[in-house]
Amino acid sequence: MAKLRKIPSIEQGLYEAFGILKDAGIEEAIKNFTGKKKSASFYRSCADPDEIHNINHADSLAIDFECLKTKGVAPMLKAHETLVVQ
């Protein structure tokens, strides 16, 4: 069952990114952008509103960059913009 996430939230943006890129796309985006290898399960835990994990800013950019190339949207940026407006 899907967990409820606050909208807007970084967790929601990351959840949307997983819908676009899937696990392999998230891992590849991070590897290509930062040169680091991190598992998708770590980022899934960052998207979990019940967990206390913070996503690294460079990783957030990497994921948005790949989402922009894939679907033309940047879910993490959208979440940040909406949070700032609020």
Side-chain angles (χ1 to χ4, degrees), residues 2 6 8 58 66 85:
K6 290 189 280 181
E66 194 63 32
V85 168

Side-chain angles (χ1 to χ4, degrees), residues 4-65:
L4 296 177
R5 292 169 177 83
K6 290 189 280 181
I7 299 174
S9 71
I10 301 306
E11 292 84 6
Q12 179 62 30
L14 193 50
Y15 177 77
E16 291 175 20
F18 267 101
I20 296 168
L21 301 176
K22 312 295 183 232
D23 287 7
I26 296 285
E27 290 176 359
E28 191 67 23
I30 301 302
K31 183 180 171 193
N32 290 340
F33 196 82
T34 67
K36 298 176 185 174
K37 183 172 170 60
K38 293 185 183 175
S39 71
S41 63
F42 171 75
Y43 297 101
R44 286 207 179 275
S45 69
C46 291
D48 185 341
D50 297 333
E51 295 284 327
I52 301 175
H53 288 100
N54 294 318
I55 185 168
N56 180 301
H57 186 67
D59 295 348
S60 176
L61 289 172
I63 291 167
D64 261 356
F65 182 69

